[in-house]
Amino acid sequence: MDKFRMIFQFFQSNQESFMNGICGIMALASTQMYSAFDFNCPCLPHYNMVYGLGILLVPPFILFLLGFVLNNNISMLAEEWRRPQGGRGKDPSVLRYMFCSMAQRAMIAPAVWVSVTLLDGKCITCAFCTSVPVDTLGNASHPRLSQGEIQRVLARIPCREIYNGQQLIANEVAVRYLRCISQALGWCFVLLMTTLAFLVRSLRPCFSQAAFLKSRYWSHYIDIERKLFDETCAEHARSFAKVCIQQFFEGMSTDLVAARCHLPRKAPADAGEAAEKLLGITDQGTMNMALKSWHRCKPPLHLHPPALPTGNGWAGEGQPPTHPSAPRRETAAYYSCV
């Protein structure tokens, strides 16, 4: 249990670890789904290829979309892409990094599905059973069979219980031939995916390490900023609700006192603290305006100390910066009475 707890804490450490864990779970789920899937080839001409290629390609597409749906950054990417320019510019490299990062993680489960399907060989056997070279592997001079009848016989190769073309081509020979081709394609696909992942991981720092670090940093910043904004809004909503409820009950107690029902009143200790957390936003219209302003014109990414007001206006406007004066030296004298 301690190992599982450590793994779970690692997945919760940051957004990337969490998404890596989700993608790993989806990859394992894709293999379990394929092993539990009951593959039934229709064994009919013009239907085998549709069924076989559909099982090979449609589930990976669904898993790819599911990988985007389960990724929390997809809404953040869409919001950052569609928001107005405002006070902060939009960096295309950061958006590109976020999209590529999500796409790479979403491709893990589809790649596992395609690899397992090709190595198993059932889909290729069903899809291309009518393309078996009968001239090379079987008896092409079998009498009383037209081209259409040969296609119908070959379409029954995946269905061993109803196959009746042993005189044309042996079922075991055709299945083994197609399965060897499928496994060769599967290993080539695995080698291609591994090579691409190796090249991306090893060659990217050699060309654009500075740009990669910049994009990665600001993508993390956008994620953290969104979380902090949500937490701040939730804290403001909690304080707003607390003050509203307190004012409601204070009004009710005032009405009861006016009706000569003397009830003990005690001021809540945290009323002032809740009011301070409202930051001056004390009505629905002002809060809606603040939310719209955050979406339309986010503040620029430039930190500066707040200006201090003076008698003639704001300090620092059109004036050179002043150096702080030297600290005043104080002397303490001690007297004793003997």
Side-chain angles (χ1 to χ4, degrees):
M1 292 298 295
D2 295 336
K3 293 182 179 179
F4 286 107
R5 189 180 297 108
M6 292 176 60
I7 294 174
F8 186 72
Q9 291 176 355
F10 172 75
F11 286 158
Q12 285 186 328
S13 60
N14 53 55
Q15 183 70 12
E16 288 192 356
S17 300
F18 176 75
M19 291 313 307
N20 290 335
I22 291 294
C23 293
I25 293 174
M26 287 185 59
L28 294 176
S30 64
T31 57
Q32 293 296 324
M33 288 170 56
Y34 183 80
S35 61
F37 177 69
D38 188 11
F39 188 87
N40 293 315
C41 186
C43 296
L44 294 172
H46 310 295
Y47 289 96
N48 289 3
M49 182 172 292
V50 175
Y51 183 80
L53 295 182
I55 297 300
L56 179 64
L57 300 177
V58 173
F61 180 72
I62 297 175
L63 291 173
F64 181 73
L65 295 180
L66 189 60
F68 271 100
V69 171
L70 294 180
N71 199 318
N72 295 329
N73 291 337
I74 185 65
S75 58
M76 182 177 64
L77 174 62
E79 179 183 354
E80 184 68 16
W81 178 50
R82 293 294 300 172
R83 72 171 177 85
Q85 191 75 11
R88 181 191 306 177
K90 293 183 287 186
D91 194 348
S93 61
V94 177
L95 301 179
R96 195 183 312 114
Y97 169 81
M98 295 169 61
F99 178 79
C100 293
S101 178
M102 288 186 293
Q104 290 174 7
R105 291 184 176 92
M107 282 293 296
I108 296 177
V112 171
W113 178 277
V114 173
S115 303
V116 172
T117 304
L118 290 176
L119 292 175
D120 185 55
K122 292 180 181 178
C123 290
I124 298 299
T125 302
C126 180
F128 298 99
C129 58
T130 56
S131 302
V132 174
V134 182
D135 298 338
T136 306
L137 303 177
N139 183 15
S141 61
H142 187 69
R144 300 178 183 176
L145 287 179
S146 62
Q147 188 66 26
E149 292 174 345
I150 292 177
Q151 292 294 318
R152 283 193 293 271
V153 171
L154 294 178
R156 298 176 182 176
I157 289 176
C159 306
R160 184 175 300 179
E161 62 278 1
I162 63 173
Y163 182 68
N164 56 355
Q166 293 292 339
Q167 295 81 8
L168 181 64
I169 183 174
N171 182 272
E172 293 79 6
V173 173
V175 170
R176 182 169 296 183
Y177 172 79
L178 294 172
R179 183 166 293 178
C180 289
I181 295 177
S182 178
Q183 290 178 354
L185 292 176
W187 285 116
C188 291
F189 180 79
V190 172
L191 179 62
L192 177 63
M193 292 293 102
T194 306
T195 305
L196 288 178
F198 170 76
L199 292 177
V200 169
R201 289 288 185 178
S202 59
L203 297 182
R204 182 173 56 184
C206 300
F207 296 98
S208 59
Q209 182 65 12
F212 171 73
L213 290 176
K214 183 195 72 171
S215 303
R216 183 176 181 180
Y217 174 85
W218 289 117
S219 66
H220 286 311
Y221 173 83
I222 294 173
D223 183 29
I224 295 173
E225 184 186 50
R226 184 186 184 188
K227 291 180 179 178
L228 290 177
F229 184 77
D230 292 341
E231 293 176 0
T232 305
C233 290
E235 184 178 1
H236 184 276
R238 182 179 180 85
S239 302
F240 193 86
K242 183 182 294 186
V243 173
C244 286
I245 294 173
Q246 289 173 353
Q247 290 182 356
F248 169 75
F249 280 101
E250 288 176 359
M252 289 294 297
S253 62
T254 303
D255 295 340
L256 292 177
V257 169
R260 300 180 181 179
C261 297
H262 300 284
L263 297 177
R265 292 185 59 186
K266 184 178 180 181
D270 55 347
E273 182 181 357
E276 290 179 358
K277 292 182 180 179
L278 295 178
L279 300 176
I281 304 177
T282 56
D283 59 88
Q284 183 178 4
T286 308
M287 189 63 198
N288 293 337
M289 186 184 302
L291 296 175
K292 293 179 181 179
S293 177
W294 175 263
H295 173 70
R296 292 176 180 174
C297 49
K298 288 188 177 181
L301 299 178
H302 175 68
L303 302 180
H304 55 84
L308 299 177
T310 60
N312 297 328
W314 290 95
E317 292 184 0
Q319 300 178 1
T322 59
H323 299 282
S325 59
R328 186 175 57 184
R329 184 176 299 176
E330 297 180 357
T331 305
Y334 298 89
Y335 299 91
S336 60
C337 298
V338 181

